[in-house]
Amino acid sequence: METERQLLEAIEGGERAALRRLYDRYAGYAMAVGLRYVPDRDEVRDVMQDSFVRILTSISQFNYHGEGSLKSWVGRIVSNRSVDYLRQHQRFTTVDTIPDEPDDPEEPDIGGVPPDALTEMIGRLPANYRTVLNLYVFEERSHREIARLLGIKESTSSSLFFRAKKMLAKIIREYLNKQGT
């Protein structure tokens, strides 16, 4: 399989087919990232199209930092485009207080939950919960960064994350109970 370095060299060399290989290689990953934020497949297709236009037009500005860095860069662009899409199409609820500790502090074991099922569960969260959860957990952004990105208070980001975890834990428990585990 072609390494990221080889792919980038082919793109830099003007090989048009290399752009197609870039798309083919990362389209599935990009779709998975987009679905974490925007659970509707038709809407994610719009995000994907916008993301790949951005990726292909700015690939010359990408700085290679080793194998995996191109994939991370693609994921970051899709994440940013997804957040932009959500900001344009939905309102984020702001919460100024941090909720009390959960009733059941023990988090469910997600080892028995298939990745597709977990993605679907995350997709059932309200958009603001889902977005903050994804940015914090998967993108490893701080609440300060999330607040700046979404135009909310840092405490709101923290509160939304807490509520998202609590709601997701409940959904996972219900799933595990139905599965008999």
Side-chain angles (χ1 to χ4, degrees):
M1 183 169 163
E2 184 177 40
T3 66
E4 286 184 348
R5 168 64 82 193
Q6 292 168 329
L7 180 59
L8 287 167
E9 287 172 357
I11 291 169
E12 290 169 4
E15 187 182 324
R16 292 186 58 83
L19 294 173
R20 179 61 189 196
R21 291 195 308 272
L22 172 79
Y23 176 83
D24 290 343
R25 183 171 181 168
Y26 295 115
Y29 170 69
M31 177 64 85
V33 170
L35 284 169
R36 286 196 320 244
Y37 292 91
V38 183
D40 182 280
R41 286 192 175 273
D42 290 332
E43 291 176 358
V44 170
R45 285 186 184 94
D46 292 341
V47 171
M48 291 268 298
Q49 181 177 355
D50 185 41
S51 297
F52 273 97
V53 167
R54 173 69 59 101
I55 290 163
L56 298 175
T57 58
S58 60
I59 191 76
S60 62
Q61 299 166 354
F62 171 72
N63 292 318
Y64 181 75
H65 297 290
E67 196 66 24
S69 61
L70 181 59
K71 181 178 181 180
S72 294
W73 182 70
V74 167
R76 187 78 160 203
I77 289 175
V78 174
S79 170
N80 289 340
R81 295 291 110 219
S82 298
V83 170
D84 290 346
Y85 180 87
L86 290 172
R87 277 197 309 227
Q88 290 172 356
H89 294 88
Q90 299 176 4
R91 290 196 59 88
F92 285 95
T93 306
T94 59
V95 181
D96 292 328
T97 59
I98 297 176
D100 297 330
E101 287 299 311
D103 300 334
D104 184 0
E106 190 171 320
E107 295 182 10
D109 177 20
I110 63 168
V113 180
D116 288 349
L118 187 58
T119 298
E120 185 273 328
M121 290 176 209
I122 292 170
R124 290 175 20 206
L125 297 173
N128 52 352
Y129 289 17
R130 182 177 63 244
T131 301
V132 171
L133 178 83
N134 282 314
L135 289 169
Y136 190 81
V137 173
F138 296 107
E139 303 297 325
E140 299 178 352
R141 297 193 189 193
S142 69
H143 287 298
R144 179 173 295 202
E145 290 175 291
I146 295 168
R148 188 172 36 248
L149 181 65
L150 299 180
I152 59 178
K153 294 179 181 179
E154 196 172 333
S155 62
T156 300
S157 174
S158 191
S159 180
L160 289 170
F161 174 69
F162 181 85
R163 291 170 188 244
K165 276 183 34 178
K166 188 174 180 179
M167 184 178 280
L168 185 58
K170 180 180 179 206
I171 294 169
I172 291 170
R173 276 190 212 94
E174 289 170 357
Y175 173 86
L176 292 173
N177 286 340
K178 283 181 184 175
Q179 300 301 314
T181 43

